[in-house]
Amino acid sequence: MLGTGLGPLASEITDAIEFPYKDIPNFPVSTVEGHDGKLIFGRLGGKDIMAMKGRFHYYEGWSMKEVTFPIRVMYELGIKTLFVSNAAGGMNAEFKIGDVMVITDHINLFPEHPLHGPNFPTGPRFPDMHQVYDLDLIRLADNIAREKGFTLRHGVYTGVQGPTFETPAEYRMFHRMGGDAIGMSTVPEVIVAHHCGIRIFGLSVITDLGGFEPPVEVSHEEVQQAAKKAQPVMSALIREMVVRS
């Protein structure tokens, strides 16, 4: 899922066949600036891949079933590993804007659960959530980062519905709850992918900082600019992980 920070990786996909979301039955269409809205099939690093250039968000008005429908499609097409990225607000005092954080766990604060309703036969009714983000893929990322001289942060991603950015008090509250970064995506898709038995690796690009003094205002444009700075690191990392995984 080529979310924030990974969009340019689409240009490296060879033998690509692209399908606009609007042409795919039952697919929602992204309404967010910076999300192109294309499903791409092709090859990257010698591997057959399926790439989503742009994702859907709960705050756009889609149901959780619509937000996570592409993951169900991936499963039916035989996808074994999911790489996902997002833009996130940093709540850890050690983070800086432009840092790349490997997601080691998440906190789900969305008001609707993506597995609510009749159970899909892809997994159990009550899936275990102790190790959602694949440890082998995290170790691989760390090894590649050391080889290439990248600095990777590790942390817990907190998923909220949005679309407002958090208040300073909310940032501090979510950090006390155990979160290192916060955003409005990823958790629903990851839950469904985990339910389907798909391996998962997630990255957050830290595009703003919150909960510190003095308060700093943030805009969607500033988030996009911060993400652009992290794109070379994120693309190089995922490219190499696809080759080696």
Side-chain angles (χ1 to χ4, degrees), residues 128-191:
D128 180 85
M129 300 294 288
H130 275 90
Q131 192 59 64
V132 175
Y133 299 87
D134 191 90
L135 288 176
D136 289 336
L137 292 175
I138 291 173
R139 282 190 285 266
L140 176 60
D142 288 337
N143 290 337
I144 293 171
R146 282 191 292 269
E147 291 173 14
K148 295 186 175 294
F150 299 155
T151 298
L152 292 179
R153 304 290 190 176
H154 283 210
V156 176
Y157 177 85
T158 303
V160 295
Q161 76 169 24
T164 54
F165 291 110
E166 291 67 42
T167 68
E170 287 171 338
Y171 273 118
R172 290 190 291 269
M173 178 185 71
F174 292 135
H175 182 51
R176 291 189 185 105
M177 289 173 62
D180 295 291
I182 189 165
M184 309 169 193
S185 66
T186 301
V187 170
E189 301 100 306
V190 163
I191 289 174

Side-chain angles (χ1 to χ4, degrees), residues 12 22 27 44 51 60-61 72 87 91-92 114 121 136 140-141 162 176 186 190 202 213 219 238:
E12 301 183 26
K22 63 182 178 62
F27 254 64
L44 180 69
E60 294 177 81
R72 299 292 183 190
M91 302 182 290
N92 188 316
D136 289 336
L140 176 60
R176 291 189 185 105
T186 301
V190 163
E213 295 295 342
S219 69
I238 296 299

Side-chain angles (χ1 to χ4, degrees), residues 58-76:
Y58 186 72
Y59 64 74
E60 294 177 81
W62 307 114
S63 70
M64 278 298 179
K65 285 185 171 55
E66 290 170 320
V67 168
T68 59
F69 179 70
I71 302 298
R72 299 292 183 190
V73 173
M74 290 180 183
Y75 171 79
E76 294 297 336

Side-chain angles (χ1 to χ4, degrees), residues 11-208:
S11 63
E12 301 183 26
I13 299 173
T14 60
D15 303 320
I17 302 175
E18 298 185 355
F19 299 90
Y21 292 161
K22 63 182 178 62
D23 295 338
I24 304 174
N26 299 313
F27 254 64
V29 177
S30 179
T31 64
V32 182
E33 182 182 350
H35 290 257
D36 287 355
K38 294 179 182 178
L39 191 64
I40 307 171
F41 293 86
R43 292 181 65 79
L44 180 69
K47 304 287 181 66
D48 292 324
I49 68 161
M50 169 184 174
M52 286 183 66
K53 193 174 183 186
R55 59 148 57 88
F56 317 121
H57 303 80
Y58 186 72
Y59 64 74
E60 294 177 81
W62 307 114
S63 70
M64 278 298 179
K65 285 185 171 55
E66 290 170 320
V67 168
T68 59
F69 179 70
I71 302 298
R72 299 292 183 190
V73 173
M74 290 180 183
Y75 171 79
E76 294 297 336
L77 292 173
I79 297 300
K80 303 299 182 186
T81 305
L82 173 67
F83 295 93
V84 60
S85 71
N86 59 57
M91 302 182 290
N92 188 316
E94 296 182 3
F95 289 1
K96 301 185 300 295
I97 291 176
D99 279 353
V100 176
M101 185 190 86
V102 175
I103 302 174
T104 57
D105 203 348
H106 71 234
I107 299 172
N108 179 22
L109 294 179
F110 283 87
E112 180 185 353
H113 199 282
L115 300 182
H116 181 262
N119 187 47
F120 278 82
T122 56
R125 170 74 280 185
F126 304 105
D128 180 85
M129 300 294 288
H130 275 90
Q131 192 59 64
V132 175
Y133 299 87
D134 191 90
L135 288 176
D136 289 336
L137 292 175
I138 291 173
R139 282 190 285 266
L140 176 60
D142 288 337
N143 290 337
I144 293 171
R146 282 191 292 269
E147 291 173 14
K148 295 186 175 294
F150 299 155
T151 298
L152 292 179
R153 304 290 190 176
H154 283 210
V156 176
Y157 177 85
T158 303
V160 295
Q161 76 169 24
T164 54
F165 291 110
E166 291 67 42
T167 68
E170 287 171 338
Y171 273 118
R172 290 190 291 269
M173 178 185 71
F174 292 135
H175 182 51
R176 291 189 185 105
M177 289 173 62
D180 295 291
I182 189 165
M184 309 169 193
S185 66
T186 301
V187 170
E189 301 100 306
V190 163
I191 289 174
V192 170
H194 182 66
H195 187 252
C196 290
I198 296 173
R199 292 199 305 165
I200 299 157
F201 178 79
L203 289 175
S204 293
V205 53
I206 305 303
T207 53
D208 62 280

